[in-house]
Amino acid sequence: MDKQAVRQTLDQLAAFLVVKGEKASRVRAMQHAARSELLATGRSSALDELREQVPPGLAEMLRIPGLGAAKVRQIHELLAIESLAELEAAAGDGRLAALPRFGAKTAENVRRGIAHLRQASTLRLFHHAQDEVDAVRRALAGLEGAGVLRVEIAGAVRRRCEVIGALDLVAVHEGQAAREALVRRLGEAPGVTEIAGREGSVTLRFASGTVVEVLLTTPERFGLDWIRATGSPTHVAALETRARALGVSLSAAFPDEPSLYRALGLAWVPPELREANGELEAAAGAGDRLPRLVEPGDLRGFLHCHSNYSDGTVTIADWAAACRAAGYEWVGITDHSKSAAYAGGLATEDVAQQHDEIDAVNARVSGIRVLKGVEADILADGTLDYGPDVLDRFDFVIGSIHSRFGMSEAEMTRRVLAAMDDPHLAILGHPTGRLLLQREPYAIDLEQVLAKAAARGIAVEVNADPHRLDLDWRMVRRARELGVTLSIGADAHSTSGMTNVAVGLGIARKGWLEPDGVLNTRDADAFLAFARARLVATG
Ligand SMILES: [Zn+2]
Ligand SMILES: [Zn+2]
């Protein structure tokens, strides 16, 4: 690691510590310790662990020019804001300006800073991209007098990619004359600061920093153009090759996507699968080799959430109410375990109290069943951090790695394989530890881990936190080939985190998952039977 990289890493370490409320003397001491570690190994275990503790949305706020860690801490404490979207809203509606030592000027700078971030970063996380492009879609669909018939999201957002470069929309209008009027109205749309047009497509730049490519099309060409704007480029190229081979002219009318796929002898391919990964072969003929992808309505259980017994903000009763309202049959509460001091993990002596509370909620509330889970730390030697007697008291156990990310691949693989020997382990949580655009996955031989998961009947998580989306969708498909059952884990720390599930579901679909491959499509009894199968077998 060169000097400048060390400097930047130490700055980041300091910022995280300030956000956590550490004193200046402690910040200096931690920086001092980290410096020698960085020079020796190029990695700081303190920073790795801080990334587990600081909500990722706050880490994103730290990148806003001129905001600084002390202010981020203030925003989090006083407004309970944990995401860029919430911050942008607060900067717009006066809440930010009203904070002590903030004022209108700071609020305005925050808005500009977020805009700057959007312009400067070519890549953003799925949920940010979806929010941005959907706001533009709604604005364009509502443009009066513009002759817009329909506006649809396309591009990598529609394909549910985990990280998004460009934002794409398709706008449908009547005939060529209507197009000129539409382009004029787009230029005058609220917030648009710049419009650059090419034939058939315009680039809109907004004051918010958002840049969106809008493909303009007519009803007759909509099917083809939506496919083209959705991509991937390799999927589209394969369709074009097929059209040439079959002598199908793509200048014919294709008013919707199925009509084009049909002309090519294919079933309609769900956008998540359009990655040139065998989907055309599966769609050929009757298309019956395409998966019946898992859908929101298939999920019966809400898994992996933190309550106020660890670093969540929600009570057990509130989780039960929120999950029932969202239509789930059961919810698996999984607070952090005792060694997770960073996240206020559940001390052994508090387990009984939490379980009494869950029993009381189950007795009082109908229409939802609360399960006693835990997210136990997998320690460096591969043991889970509660003993078997404590683990026995839980309905199910997720095991996750939250420390010592810098191990060699051989050590890390051995660590996780050892954890899988514990018959309590039902689900391997966020199996690579990646934080998208922030932290690389740790070194681990996933093939070995997945093979063992299949052999032992341990589920592997698709962690639905949009900052993680771990297991990666490419490996989700591989896991399924190996016979692994996957679970979709919200990893929610507040009820607003329930929206994670939709993002994780996109990744599950992108990994070709069908309902029977997803653990939380089962009812509570079947889920518990899966989770406790090895305990029953070993007596
Ligand atoms: Zn975790
Ligand atoms: Zn968690």
Side-chain angles (χ1 to χ4, degrees):
M1 199 176 242
D2 64 31
K3 265 195 187 142
Q4 198 193 341
V6 170
R7 178 78 258 145
Q8 283 171 352
T9 310
L10 291 176
D11 285 348
Q12 198 172 20
L13 179 75
F16 278 20
L17 289 166
V18 171
V19 166
K20 279 197 70 199
E22 300 286 2
K23 287 205 184 72
S25 57
R26 169 130 171 98
V27 174
R28 278 194 301 276
M30 297 265 303
Q31 280 188 309
H32 186 76
R35 184 191 310 273
S36 35
E37 200 191 354
L38 285 170
L39 291 170
T41 69
R43 193 153 184 156
S44 156
S45 53
L47 183 59
D48 279 337
E49 283 166 34
L50 277 165
R51 285 209 175 96
E52 292 296 311
Q53 302 161 27
V54 174
L58 297 189
E60 288 166 0
M61 288 180 210
L62 288 171
R63 292 168 44 225
I64 298 172
L67 190 57
K71 281 207 161 63
V72 170
R73 173 174 159 76
Q74 222 183 330
I75 290 164
H76 184 219
E77 286 199 340
L78 299 176
L79 297 176
I81 281 175
E82 283 204 353
S83 73
L84 276 184
E86 291 169 321
L87 179 60
E88 193 175 27
D93 66 17
R95 276 177 297 151
L96 197 64
L99 288 183
R101 293 188 303 282
F102 272 68
K105 191 153 167 273
T106 304
E108 180 51 29
N109 284 341
V110 166
R111 271 158 59 117
R112 287 221 193 95
I114 293 173
H116 174 82
L117 266 191
R118 289 207 182 102
Q119 272 156 2
S121 48
T122 48
L123 291 176
R124 73 211 88 183
L125 300 180
F126 172 81
H127 65 309
H128 295 321
Q130 189 185 39
D131 287 351
E132 277 183 70
V133 76
D134 198 48
V136 176
R137 184 191 63 76
R138 278 181 279 117
L140 300 192
L143 273 186
E144 279 169 35
V148 183
L149 301 173
R150 183 173 177 180
V151 187
E152 296 289 350
I153 292 175
V157 170
R158 187 168 178 234
R159 299 202 316 278
R160 318 287 299 191
C161 294
E162 67 277 30
V163 167
I164 309 288
L167 304 179
D168 296 278
L169 289 173
V170 177
V172 186
H173 59 81
E174 300 273 16
Q176 196 57 38
R179 173 169 300 188
E180 282 156 31
L182 171 59
V183 170
R184 202 171 334 108
R185 282 297 280 122
L186 287 178
E188 301 157 4
V192 171
T193 57
E194 204 184 312
I195 174 167
R198 281 182 291 123
E199 185 55 35
S201 158
V202 294
T203 305
L204 296 180
R205 200 172 280 278
F206 288 79
S208 64
T210 298
V211 179
V212 179
E213 193 80 13
V214 187
L215 185 64
L216 308 176
T217 190
T218 55
E220 305 76 52
R221 292 184 54 85
F222 173 64
L224 175 66
D225 280 338
W226 201 15
I227 289 171
R228 282 200 168 132
T230 298
S232 66
T234 42
H235 175 87
V236 174
L239 290 177
E240 285 166 348
T241 303
R242 194 174 171 97
R244 271 194 303 278
L246 295 173
V248 173
S249 164
L250 293 181
S251 48
F254 296 107
D256 54 31
E257 291 189 335
S259 64
L260 189 139
Y261 283 101
R262 215 179 303 122
L264 300 178
L266 299 167
W268 178 78
V269 177
E272 297 92 334
L273 303 187
R274 298 181 194 171
E275 299 290 348
N277 255 332
E279 70 276 14
L280 292 193
E281 291 78 352
D288 48 16
R289 283 178 300 134
L290 279 174
R292 200 297 250 163
L293 295 176
V294 59
E295 291 171 9
D298 295 320
L299 295 180
R300 304 169 84 161
F302 183 80
L303 260 176
H304 195 160
C305 54
H306 298 269
S307 77
N308 57 353
Y309 276 88
S310 67
D311 59 348
T313 54
V314 185
T315 64
I316 306 278
D318 287 342
W319 270 128
C323 287
R324 187 180 59 177
Y328 292 103
E329 294 172 17
W330 54 272
V331 44
I333 308 267
T334 53
D335 278 307
H336 285 290
S337 56
K338 64 173 182 190
S339 66
Y342 56 81
L346 195 59
T348 308
E349 53 273 24
D350 294 336
V351 171
Q353 191 196 333
Q354 189 194 40
H355 288 182
D356 287 347
E357 192 169 328
I358 291 177
D359 289 339
V361 169
N362 277 328
R364 200 170 62 233
V365 184
S366 62
I368 186 89
R369 187 162 155 197
V370 184
L371 304 181
K372 299 161 184 165
V374 65
E375 183 180 13
D377 270 42
I378 298 174
L379 303 177
D381 64 359
T383 54
L384 299 176
D385 78 339
Y386 291 124
D389 47 327
V390 179
L391 290 176
D392 271 338
R393 293 158 58 194
F394 289 95
D395 291 329
F396 72 98
V397 177
I398 299 179
S400 304
I401 284 183
H402 294 116
S403 63
R404 302 284 304 278
F405 298 87
M407 288 182 160
S408 71
E409 179 175 318
E411 287 173 320
M412 190 60 94
T413 306
R414 214 177 304 128
R415 175 182 183 182
V416 172
L417 293 177
M420 295 169 104
D421 284 331
D422 189 316
H424 295 93
L425 185 77
I427 299 170
L428 179 64
H430 44 72
T432 75
R434 76 174 180 191
L435 290 174
L436 291 164
L437 305 178
Q438 278 192 64
R439 183 177 72 203
E440 291 295 308
Y442 40 72
I444 189 163
D445 183 346
L446 271 181
E447 277 290 316
Q448 276 197 61
V449 168
L450 295 175
K452 185 158 181 175
R456 290 291 162 92
I458 295 169
V460 172
E461 184 179 63
V462 176
N463 188 290
D465 181 333
H467 302 88
R468 295 187 183 271
L469 300 179
D470 178 15
L471 194 61
D472 184 274
W473 57 269
R474 299 158 189 87
M475 291 309 290
V476 168
R477 195 163 167 204
R478 177 69 187 141
R480 203 56 202 135
E481 279 169 14
L482 292 169
V484 177
T485 300
L486 287 298
S487 73
I488 298 176
D491 207 350
H493 291 73
S494 66
T495 46
S496 67
M498 292 179 80
T499 56
N500 289 357
V501 173
V503 184
L505 199 75
I507 293 300
R509 290 168 60 88
K510 213 165 169 52
W512 292 54
L513 280 189
E514 302 191 318
D516 68 353
V518 179
L519 188 55
N520 30 340
T521 62
R522 305 185 186 185
D523 66 24
D525 288 328
F527 168 74
L528 290 174
F530 177 97
R532 303 191 66 84
R534 286 181 306 144
L535 289 170
V536 173
T538 56

